[in-house]
Amino acid sequence: MRDFAYARAGTAESAVRTLADPGTSVIAGGTELLNWFRLGIAAADNVVDIGGLDELRGIASDGDDLRIGALATLNEIGEHPLVTQAAGALASACLLAASAQIRNRATIGGNVLQRTRCPYFRAEEPLPWPCSKREPGSGCTSLAGRHERQAIFGWTQDCVAVQPSDPAVALAMLDAQADVLGPAGPRTIPMREFHLTQREAADAGQPMRETRLEPGELITGYRLPASADGQAYVKVRERASYEYAIVSAAAAVRLDPVLPGACGAGRIAAARVALGSVAQRPWRLTLAEAELPGTPLTREALIPIIERAMADAAPLPQNGFKVTMARNAAVRALLTAGGAS
């Protein structure tokens, strides 16, 4: 840990002005940034604390949208009645993240910016192996090492890591927008496009870029359309608490009120589904979403549709099981959201 100067921001605008200095980092809950400093993942000359900015707090209805401030904690979101009623998948994702103690501190603005949990990346300095995220262009040790938890979509030879955020998967599925403030003023970023896969970043000429945030920009909150659709978030992990997902899935389902399905099951009128921990961004199954309307809400009918939507998966030698596990998580999330399980 190296010394840094500390200051508290008085407004979001003043925080953005401070971020014009590339040696400045923002801290809110602090559950991730301090780990970066300890491990040598990041270093800063100045740290600006935005934790006291009430303008970035709160959860409220805004017309047909739900507005969630960037400083809302995961527990606040998971337990808030507006969220449980209009964005149940997000509430579940927040409450299934980390531990209760961390959820009391961790903010929704910081959570989506957390870095990969790849053990080769999370090692303390000096790194005894190559890692392109820590030293760009040095290579990816995970490719020839352990990679059972790594990506099955969008990876490159430079990196096979996944984005571990639970709320990010639900936000992407719910078509949420991130409100961002930067030197050029406010703008919005769709959460389904907020993160970049390694392939997308490489194609843009910035192979180690992970999000569409520009330098000096700050997330101020999120807006998502309130929905009466049934929703679910499924997290598959090795233990029931304080553990990151091996795979996850968020889904929203609206059933057709007229057309019955097979064996008494309803038929899907519309559905959305996204996978987590399979790529460096939440992975929307858009091909499945186009095919699902009119489909009976049964496991037998859903499995081939999800399999076709995942046909471009490219598993590594040790993580082929994630293809089947992710398919099953998506099917379970759809069934649960539709009230069939």
Side-chain angles (χ1 to χ4, degrees):
M1 183 77 79
R2 80 182 201 189
D3 293 342
F4 54 83
Y6 170 87
R8 291 182 178 177
T11 64
E13 289 78 10
S14 68
V16 168
R17 287 194 295 271
T18 305
L19 286 172
D21 179 351
T24 299
S25 293
V26 165
I27 191 168
T31 60
E32 178 73 320
L33 182 68
L34 298 181
N35 280 326
W36 296 351
F37 287 174
R38 176 179 61 84
L39 295 171
I41 291 171
D45 298 318
N46 306 289
V47 172
V48 58
D49 190 343
I50 62 171
L53 300 182
D54 289 341
E55 63 190 284
L56 303 187
R57 298 190 183 280
I59 300 170
S61 293
D62 184 5
D64 293 331
D65 291 341
L66 182 64
R67 172 71 164 79
I68 300 175
L71 292 183
T73 68
L74 300 190
N75 269 345
E76 288 172 345
I77 296 167
E79 296 171 354
H80 199 286
L82 286 176
V83 183
T84 58
Q85 292 166 15
L90 177 60
S92 296
C94 288
L95 292 181
L96 289 173
S99 66
Q101 295 89 339
I102 290 176
R103 291 195 301 270
N104 280 333
R105 289 289 304 168
T107 65
I108 189 71
N111 180 272
V112 303
L113 295 174
Q114 65 181 293
R115 306 292 298 277
T116 179
R117 314 313 293 189
C118 174
Y120 300 106
F121 171 77
R122 289 269 171 176
E124 292 186 10
E125 281 189 319
L127 283 187
W129 43 64
C131 173
S132 290
K133 285 190 180 299
R134 298 283 292 272
E135 186 178 343
S138 63
C140 178
T141 299
S142 187
L143 266 175
R146 296 189 60 180
H147 49 247
E148 63 271 16
R149 285 178 169 263
Q150 307 289 40
I152 59 174
F153 295 103
W155 56 272
T156 67
Q157 294 293 314
D158 285 325
C159 182
V160 294
V162 300
Q163 163 56 233
S165 170
D166 290 299
V169 183
L171 288 167
M173 183 277 294
L174 291 168
D175 294 315
Q177 303 269 339
D179 291 329
V180 171
L181 182 65
R187 70 181 181 113
T188 61
I189 305 174
M191 283 305 296
R192 64 187 296 177
E193 302 173 5
F194 184 87
H195 296 94
L196 297 167
T197 67
Q198 293 91 336
R199 173 55 57 200
E200 289 166 340
D203 289 346
Q206 298 175 288
M208 289 303 106
R209 186 171 182 175
E210 297 181 13
T211 76
R212 296 187 188 276
L213 274 184
E214 297 293 344
E217 288 189 324
L218 179 72
I219 298 174
T220 59
Y222 304 88
R223 294 182 182 274
L224 50 154
S227 173
D229 296 348
Q231 297 179 26
Y233 182 73
V234 171
K235 182 174 183 178
V236 182
R237 48 186 170 173
E238 291 183 347
R239 61 187 183 213
S241 180
Y242 200 41
E243 179 65 289
Y244 292 91
I246 301 173
V247 299
S248 65
V253 171
R254 183 168 69 255
L255 294 179
D256 193 310
V258 178
L259 293 177
C263 302
R267 287 186 181 272
I268 296 172
R272 291 170 284 171
V273 60
L275 300 175
S277 293
V278 297
Q280 197 171 254
R281 63 167 168 85
W283 199 261
R284 280 284 290 263
L285 297 179
T286 52
L287 293 178
E289 293 175 9
E291 192 175 347
L292 282 168
T295 301
L297 189 67
T298 65
R299 178 178 173 81
E300 294 73 21
L302 296 177
I303 284 177
I305 293 176
I306 300 301
E307 287 180 340
R308 286 191 287 274
M310 295 180 61
D312 56 346
L316 296 156
Q318 297 170 17
N319 72 358
F321 71 92
K322 289 186 71 170
V323 177
T324 302
M325 189 176 285
R327 179 205 70 186
N328 290 346
V331 169
R332 191 165 126 212
L334 287 164
L335 290 172
T336 303
S341 70

